[in-house]
Amino acid sequence: MAAHIRRRLRKGATTTAVAAAAVAALAASQAPAATLADGSAGSGDPKAAGEDTASGETDGAATGNSPYYTDLPPLVTPDKPGSSSNLPAAGRAEAGIPASVLAAYKQAERTVATTDPSCRLPWQLLAAIGKVESGQARGGRVDADGTASPRILGPALNGQGFALIKDTDGGAYDGDAVHDRAVGPMQFIPSTWASWGQDANGDGRKDPNNIYDAALAAGRYLCANDRDLAIAADLDKAVLSYNRSTEYLRTVRSWYSYYQRGTHEIPDGTGTLPSTPSTPTPSPGTGSGPSATPSPKPSPDKPGGKPSPGPSKPGGGGSTSPTPKPPTPKPTPPSETFGSLENAGTGPLRATAGQEFDERVSVLARNAVGAPLAKVPVTFTVTGGTGTLFAGGKKTVTVRTGTDGTATAPKLQAGEKAGEFTVTAVAGTGRPRTLTYAATVTARQADAIARTDEKALVAAPGEKFADAVTVKATYKDAVAAGVAVTATMVKDRLGVIDNDKGPYFKDADGKPVRTLTTLTTDADGQLRLPEIFADDNEGTYLLRLTTEGGASVVIELTVKAPEETTPEEPAPDATETPAATKP
């Protein structure tokens, strides 16, 4: 948690020893609430990036900028830099992480990875913050459900060396009905917990003192504002949003690097508490936190004169007012933060060329806690060369999610070209979430094809077949228009062996070809074949037509010479007088 006011380390050994003894006594007493007093642990309200703060306000920090432990990691790391972070079985208690606490960090990482994968939250970052805020829940002093026992409380944020935060929860979380205190192992202040609290252990309660609930809340808070924690700048902003102190950032970074090199699991309750808390330095003459930058005193224009109001012009006298820093944006609450974009049940996207797709692309937007997120604009785009478009002839459409978090694209109209294409759904700003759906346009099909007449097809050698071949294709007894048909001269009815003799077609150059692959049925499902020619080889030949969809028909072509006929002698003329016969 980020200290909202500037804190400085207590350098004296005596002071450090006293603080450590106080914390140890509190933990050993098993009092109803173990207070992280004198800055021993942070408070909790993670927020946007920033620097050390100067006022007594929280400036949105998750912890209210309450105190934290400043102990640094051991000089000897548990593993070599860059090596695996697999957990060894044993090691120093100071470097280890209590079992339940470690399990909570890893569970939070997995959960956030499903709802906000682009955040890339590492559990080691949660461990680093947990170490600095509460010494890993006071060394893992949690019950079987992961709840700190006794509960962990920061000092009252009463403006006396700390930020001034008046009670916001009626003492429900921190037992203080006058001022707020940071609560639990991740040290959230009550107002922040009200927005970011989670129920990660499934007990129906959002308890800041439960390490599972608190770790998930911290993870979602760190991911706010579309941060990608694999990017160093975003990680720094996330840590500073937790506690607005550069000293805090350096300390967390040290432990984060340490845990990345490796750590080990230790039994709950056996961890050691850090010994060095951060402490506030009161502003001179006030009981509130120190000012990050001392306010400059007004300089009189001349002895005995009145101070100049405001900054002086270049080259002139007068006082100089500090340039105010722009306000840091507060993290958007998880109920409004875009978490993930998921498939809302879209099935396989397949359609025949020229037909409408039965399935529609549908997505589901969720917020940072996994609940449906309404009113999110989702842009759907068709990409590919099939000619497929959304209804209305558009390649790109934008649809807002409804109250159930879903957005459904208009129906798709398949193009005329068979092949594959994609539909991409994009939503969110900063780090947009993207889903890509594969889709297929299949060629028009026919399950039957037949000649439109049964007339014998005969031609003499070297001549053209006088009668054209016409066929009709159907699909489920309906006209099959636009179906691709292949015509091949074959030697067998199954079309296994092509024939290089007998009838043939002609290509564009007038050369013989015995296979045509560019044929398509018309709007009535009919196809009239090009002219067929016979070579000099007589015999009966086979022409096989095959459609997309597997329908086929075999047609016989006969090549034979015409039969020769002998002319008959004319009959005698009846009027002709027969020759006289001799007696």
Side-chain angles (χ1 to χ4, degrees):
M1 304 156 33
H4 183 69
I5 55 178
R6 176 165 304 208
R7 290 169 175 76
R8 314 216 184 272
L9 299 179
R10 289 182 177 171
K11 302 295 183 180
T14 303
T15 305
T16 301
V18 172
V23 173
L26 282 169
S29 70
Q30 297 298 302
T35 302
L36 299 174
D38 295 328
S40 58
S43 50
D45 177 4
K47 252 195 148 188
E51 300 295 330
D52 292 355
T53 57
S55 66
E57 300 174 353
T58 66
D59 198 24
T63 63
N65 293 321
S66 58
Y68 55 89
Y69 289 111
T70 61
D71 295 49
L72 296 176
L75 293 177
V76 179
T77 57
D79 206 346
K80 295 179 180 179
S83 64
S84 168
S85 60
N86 293 333
L87 304 179
R92 295 174 57 188
E94 180 182 6
I97 301 177
S100 293
V101 179
L102 179 61
Y105 296 151
K106 290 191 170 185
Q107 177 178 297
E109 178 191 64
R110 292 192 299 270
T111 300
V112 172
T114 62
T115 59
D116 190 3
S118 54
C119 173
R120 296 191 281 184
L121 169 74
W123 66 262
Q124 292 91 340
L125 179 59
L126 295 175
I129 290 176
K131 179 72 173 180
V132 171
E133 292 295 345
S134 67
Q136 309 297 17
R138 296 197 316 273
R141 288 170 176 79
V142 296
D143 62 20
D145 295 325
T147 301
S149 179
R151 63 182 177 175
I152 302 171
L153 295 176
L157 300 175
N158 56 11
Q160 302 300 310
F162 305 110
L164 173 60
I165 307 178
K166 295 183 179 180
D167 177 66
T168 61
D169 66 333
Y173 293 119
D174 57 11
D176 191 333
V178 179
H179 298 98
D180 273 347
R181 297 169 179 256
V183 182
M186 303 305 282
Q187 289 287 278
F188 281 89
I189 55 174
S191 59
T192 301
W193 185 259
S195 295
W196 292 85
Q198 304 289 304
D199 175 18
N201 64 353
D203 64 357
R205 299 175 59 234
K206 298 178 181 180
D207 184 358
N209 275 288
N210 181 274
I211 185 58
Y212 291 95
D213 294 357
L216 181 56
R220 295 200 188 283
Y221 187 93
L222 293 167
C223 289
N225 296 341
D226 282 336
R227 296 189 188 106
D228 180 353
L229 300 182
I231 299 174
D234 276 8
L235 187 142
D236 288 350
K237 289 178 182 178
V239 174
L240 286 169
S241 77
Y242 216 86
N243 189 312
R244 313 191 73 75
S245 162
T246 51
E247 173 67 26
Y248 179 86
L249 173 61
R250 285 192 291 269
T251 306
V252 170
R253 272 287 198 172
S254 297
W255 281 105
Y256 175 54
S257 178
Y258 181 82
Y259 288 136
Q260 281 186 309
R261 290 184 172 89
T263 184
H264 60 276
E265 178 184 296
I266 60 175
D268 288 346
T270 64
T272 59
L273 276 173
S275 59
T276 309
S278 68
T279 59
T281 302
S283 298
T286 69
S288 60
S291 173
T293 304
S295 300
K297 296 180 180 180
S299 301
D301 292 329
K302 53 185 178 179
K306 296 181 179 180
S308 299
S312 63
K313 296 181 181 180
S319 62
T320 302
S321 298
T323 303
K325 293 182 179 180
T328 303
K330 294 182 179 181
T332 305
S335 60
E336 301 173 13
T337 300
F338 197 169
S340 63
L341 190 67
E342 306 169 9
N343 186 351
T346 305
L349 296 168
R350 297 179 64 88
T352 302
Q355 303 299 310
E356 195 175 66
F357 281 74
D358 292 331
E359 195 74 20
R360 295 171 66 180
V361 178
S362 184
V363 298
L364 170 62
R366 295 186 184 275
N367 62 20
V369 295
L373 190 60
K375 298 182 180 179
V376 175
V378 182
T379 299
F380 299 92
T381 303
V382 175
T383 305
T386 65
T388 301
L389 299 170
F390 290 112
K394 296 181 179 180
K395 273 194 171 185
T396 300
V397 295
T398 299
V399 180
R400 287 185 176 272
T401 58
T403 55
D404 61 351
T406 63
T408 302
K411 284 197 171 186
L412 288 163
Q413 181 71 35
E416 289 298 334
K417 185 176 181 180
E420 296 183 349
F421 69 96
T422 60
V423 179
T424 303
V426 180
T429 57
R431 289 185 291 111
R433 278 60 164 179
T434 302
L435 281 181
T436 300
Y437 299 80
T440 304
V441 175
T442 58
R444 296 172 186 265
Q445 298 183 355
D447 55 15
I449 185 171
R451 286 188 65 191
T452 57
D453 62 60
E454 297 180 356
K455 189 175 182 179
L457 299 168
V458 181
E463 299 294 331
K464 178 175 66 175
F465 284 81
D467 297 309
V469 178
T470 303
V471 294
K472 182 176 182 179
T474 57
Y475 182 71
K476 296 182 179 179
D477 297 327
V479 168
V483 175
V485 179
T486 299
T488 307
M489 301 296 176
V490 295
K491 289 184 177 181
D492 61 297
R493 289 186 172 272
L494 294 178
V496 176
I497 303 173
D498 292 353
N499 204 338
D500 58 356
K501 295 181 180 180
Y504 60 87
F505 304 101
K506 288 184 178 180
D507 63 13
D509 297 327
K511 296 180 180 179
V513 293
R514 290 183 169 85
T515 298
L516 296 178
T517 58
T518 57
L519 306 173
T520 305
T521 60
D522 62 17
D524 297 323
Q526 294 192 8
L527 169 64
R528 182 185 176 95
L529 294 182
E531 292 179 325
I532 303 174
F533 301 85
D535 62 9
D536 294 333
N537 298 290
E538 295 190 39
T540 300
Y541 298 90
L542 301 177
L543 168 62
R544 191 169 193 266
L545 303 180
T546 306
T547 72
E548 284 287 343
S552 65
V553 61
V554 176
I555 301 170
E556 289 188 354
L557 301 172
T558 302
V559 179
K560 69 176 182 178
E563 295 180 0
E564 293 185 5
T565 58
T566 304
E568 296 182 1
E569 293 184 2
D573 192 345
T575 62
E576 188 177 319
T577 304
T581 59
K582 295 181 179 181

